Amino acid sequence: MNLEKLQIAQQDFLRVYPQGFQDPKMAELAKKHQVDKMTDFVLDVFSRDQFNIPERILENWAKAVSRSSMVSMFEKPKFKNMLHDLSAHEKELMINGLYELLHGDAKAGFNAQLDILKQYKLAKWSLISAVPAYFKPQQEVFIKPTTAKGVIKYFELPNLIYKPTPSWDFYCEYRKQILALMNFVDKQLAPNTAAFCGFLMMSLPNKS
């Protein structure tokens, strides 16, 4: 990874926004994304005890995706419709997958969701990474395809070849490198992974 480019990006960003993501100039952007509000919602509706009521999980899953500023407007209704159209068995698999991703065997949960999403032609990075990014904002990452491709190329992240179909191996490696990069910047630029990735996106030569 190119840490020199990262330091230059940090200097340029702090020149415009001296207080990082706490800077008044960033207030409007923060209102748009409402990461803290979304995190509170997701932590509440996807806590372990909530999984005792499957239909409520599906309802709140659709709400979380529809409220997310990070998910495409085109993908939101398709995801909601998919949850509605799933068979009883598929709903069980999806819900168990989400539970494992958030609370148990993350790899198994990721792949369980991916299998269903593929069947409905909705295997999108945004749909599989949004909820975890809100649920664990210091540990998990949201993957926006154009941003991920740009970050990998510009900051020269090794061992990563972006592919549009989600995979657990790519997710783990990308997450590992994003978390590593966060250690090399001012904390004002990395209050959570979503903000940090936003900073990286804004630092790309051609904004994604």
Side-chain angles (χ1 to χ4, degrees), residues 19-171:
Q19 298 175 52
F21 283 94
Q22 296 301 315
D23 197 278
K25 295 178 185 177
M26 295 296 292
E28 287 305 312
L29 184 62
K31 286 181 182 178
K32 174 186 174 184
H33 292 293
Q34 297 183 316
V35 173
D36 291 341
K37 184 176 180 180
M38 285 295 298
T39 290
D40 290 341
F41 173 71
V42 166
L43 284 172
D44 178 40
V45 301
F46 297 129
S47 60
R48 289 177 184 271
D49 58 332
Q50 293 293 328
F51 282 82
N52 293 324
I53 309 176
E55 287 303 319
R56 184 181 296 171
I57 289 293
L58 293 174
E59 178 184 340
N60 286 323
W61 202 347
K63 285 182 181 178
V65 169
S66 68
R67 294 176 184 178
S68 174
S69 62
M70 301 189 294
V71 178
S72 163
M73 292 298 294
F74 298 104
E75 293 171 353
K76 293 177 181 182
K78 291 179 181 180
F79 183 75
K80 182 178 181 180
N81 291 338
M82 184 205 74
L83 291 181
H84 179 269
D85 294 340
L86 293 175
S87 68
H89 179 59
E90 289 171 332
K91 287 179 179 179
E92 181 180 359
L93 291 175
M94 279 290 285
I95 292 170
N96 288 342
L98 182 62
Y99 179 87
E100 290 298 331
L101 184 58
L102 301 180
H103 300 290
D105 184 337
K107 179 179 181 180
F110 182 100
N111 287 327
Q113 290 181 58
L114 184 59
D115 287 343
I116 302 296
L117 290 170
K118 282 180 177 178
Q119 292 178 37
Y120 286 82
K121 298 182 179 179
L122 282 174
K124 309 290 186 180
W125 276 112
S126 57
L127 295 176
I128 205 164
S129 66
V131 168
Y134 289 124
F135 195 81
K136 299 178 181 178
Q138 309 298 331
Q139 300 167 255
E140 306 295 345
V141 297
F142 174 78
I143 295 183
K144 179 182 178 183
T146 52
T147 297
K149 287 186 285 188
V151 167
I152 291 168
K153 181 179 179 180
Y154 185 68
F155 292 101
E156 302 171 30
L157 304 188
N159 307 317
L160 281 169
I161 299 175
Y162 173 83
K163 293 183 180 179
T165 300
S167 73
W168 179 249
D169 287 344
F170 179 91
Y171 180 79

Side-chain angles (χ1 to χ4, degrees), residues 179-198:
L179 294 176
L181 288 174
M182 288 174 70
N183 293 322
F184 291 97
V185 299
D186 191 293
K187 293 187 184 300
Q188 296 178 104
L189 302 187
N192 51 61
T193 62
F196 179 67
C197 289

